[in-house]
């Protein structure tokens, strides 16, 4: 479960602080489907970056399973708890589709090369 508590984000442009997100408080439970709508420039991507902990420069608090994201090991969190689908796929063009999928499994040091390939084939 994700809990956002008074999450705010401001950017400084030309010595002026512009508020993009203002004290957002909400909860996302496992299995929930959420839709984030808004005009271009209203903070949708900023909010997603904060929720996923790609952006850690915000005010307020985000809890995942009751623990603050600011105190978690982000490498482990990104490896084991959350996945990303970007608007642009960010694939490595010099790798095949299978090799792109396999690349995520290099973070798990206990997997053998054949286990990485086997898992990647399951999800290719």
């Amino acid at each position: 479960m994700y809990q956002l508590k008074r999450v705010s984000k401001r950017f400084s442009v030309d010595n002026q602080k512009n508020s993009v997100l203002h004290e957002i408080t909400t909860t996302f439970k496992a299995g929930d489907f959420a839709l984030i709508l808004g005009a271009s420039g209203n903070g949708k991507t900023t909010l997603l970056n904060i929720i996923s902990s790609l952006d850690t420069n915000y005010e307020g608090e985000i809890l995942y399973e009751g623990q603050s994201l600011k105190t978690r090991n982000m490498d482990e969190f990104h490896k084991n708890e959350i996945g990303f689908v970007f608007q642009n796929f960010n694939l490595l063009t010099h790798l095949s589709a299978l090799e792109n999928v396999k690349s995520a499994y290099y973070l798990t040091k206990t997997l053998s090369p054949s286990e990485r390939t086997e898992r990647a084939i399951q999800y290719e």
Side-chain angles (χ1 to χ4, degrees), residues 1-105:
M1 175 170 52
Y2 265 101
Q3 292 177 289
L4 283 69
K5 296 181 177 182
R6 300 177 62 121
V7 172
S8 297
K9 175 74 176 185
R10 287 183 278 209
F11 292 100
S12 292
V13 178
D14 296 331
N15 293 324
Q16 285 188 310
K17 289 202 176 218
N18 298 311
S19 183
V20 177
L21 304 174
H22 183 70
E23 294 191 1
I24 295 174
T25 299
T26 190
T27 299
F28 301 102
K29 295 179 184 159
D32 279 357
F33 180 83
L35 181 64
I36 300 172
L37 295 172
S40 179
N42 279 356
K44 300 176 300 292
T45 299
T46 299
L47 179 61
L48 290 173
N49 286 337
I50 289 171
I51 290 171
S52 64
S53 203
L54 291 176
D55 182 348
T56 57
N57 185 19
Y58 59 88
E59 296 171 20
E61 185 175 25
I62 299 179
L63 302 174
Y64 176 74
E65 301 297 335
Q67 184 180 3
S68 173
L69 287 186
K70 290 187 177 184
T71 64
R72 291 188 70 105
N73 176 321
M74 284 298 103
D75 290 338
E76 290 296 315
F77 179 70
H78 288 136
K79 182 176 102 178
N80 297 318
E81 302 296 335
I82 192 166
F84 300 94
V85 177
F86 294 96
Q87 285 179 319
N88 298 325
F89 297 113
N90 298 321
L91 297 176
L92 302 173
T93 57
H94 66 281
L95 298 179
S96 68
L98 177 62
E99 290 168 329
N100 267 281
V101 174
K102 267 176 61 171
S103 67
Y105 292 115

